[in-house]
Amino acid sequence: MAVKKAPAAKKPAAKKAPAAKAAPAKAAAPKARKVTALSERYTKTQILNEIADNTGLTRKEVNAVLEELGIVIERHIKKRAVGEFTLPGLLKIKTIKKPAQKARKNVPNPFRPGETMDVAAKPASTRVKVLPLKKLKDMAV
């Protein structure tokens, strides 16, 4: 004979904690500034003054930020480092390792057809490549 099993007792559903009150509305996002084109390029001093005026930071603080940015970039691209740094939206800096090239003899001269030339050996080197990202490309349009 088949024996009927008693239905398993169900656990009562755990009550969720009452939802926290919504945070007060944040201040409206700063309006997009109108960006005007410049007729002459800025010097370092002019760049520091412009950033300081627009951000409310002191010139020394802006200078410290730029110095630190330079150090961070250096730490990313120096020897035995990751070899790549991205400034989000603006640019990507990469290091490219070029292998050494052997010397070659009797290579056709591209500038004087029919003649041959010798090409000197080149040591291995590391090149730095800066790639513009979307925001920077859009700025130039």
Side-chain angles (χ1 to χ4, degrees):
M1 277 178 83
V3 178
K4 288 187 177 180
K5 291 185 179 178
K10 292 185 178 180
K11 293 181 183 176
K15 289 190 175 185
K16 294 181 183 176
K21 290 184 180 180
K26 292 183 180 178
K31 294 181 181 177
R33 287 186 11 208
K34 184 170 182 171
V35 182
T36 57
L38 298 173
S39 58
E40 292 183 26
R41 69 182 185 94
Y42 276 0
T43 63
K44 181 180 177 185
T45 304
Q46 290 171 319
I47 292 170
L48 291 175
N49 288 335
E50 179 83 10
I51 294 172
D53 291 344
N54 293 335
T55 60
L57 298 172
T58 65
R59 231 178 126 249
K60 281 186 177 181
E61 291 171 335
V62 173
N63 194 26
V65 168
L66 290 180
E67 293 290 326
E68 191 59 34
L69 180 62
I71 292 169
V72 170
I73 292 172
E74 179 184 358
R75 290 177 56 207
H76 275 80
I77 65 171
K78 71 188 301 179
K79 207 173 213 173
R80 294 187 300 277
V82 291
E84 190 173 297
F85 173 81
T86 302
L87 197 55
L90 292 178
L91 52 92
K92 182 183 278 192
I93 301 171
K94 285 182 173 183
T95 54
I96 298 170
K97 293 179 173 83
K98 297 279 187 180
Q101 293 202 335
K102 296 179 181 177
R104 294 174 293 166
K105 293 189 180 250
N106 298 327
V107 177
N109 187 339
F111 303 109
R112 292 187 176 168
E115 286 187 22
T116 59
M117 60 186 231
D118 296 339
V119 178
K122 291 183 183 176
S125 63
T126 304
R127 304 271 167 84
V128 176
K129 191 171 189 178
V130 180
L131 304 167
L133 297 180
K134 186 170 182 1
K135 263 190 199 173
L136 190 60
K137 289 177 185 176
D138 290 346
M139 286 179 201
V141 174

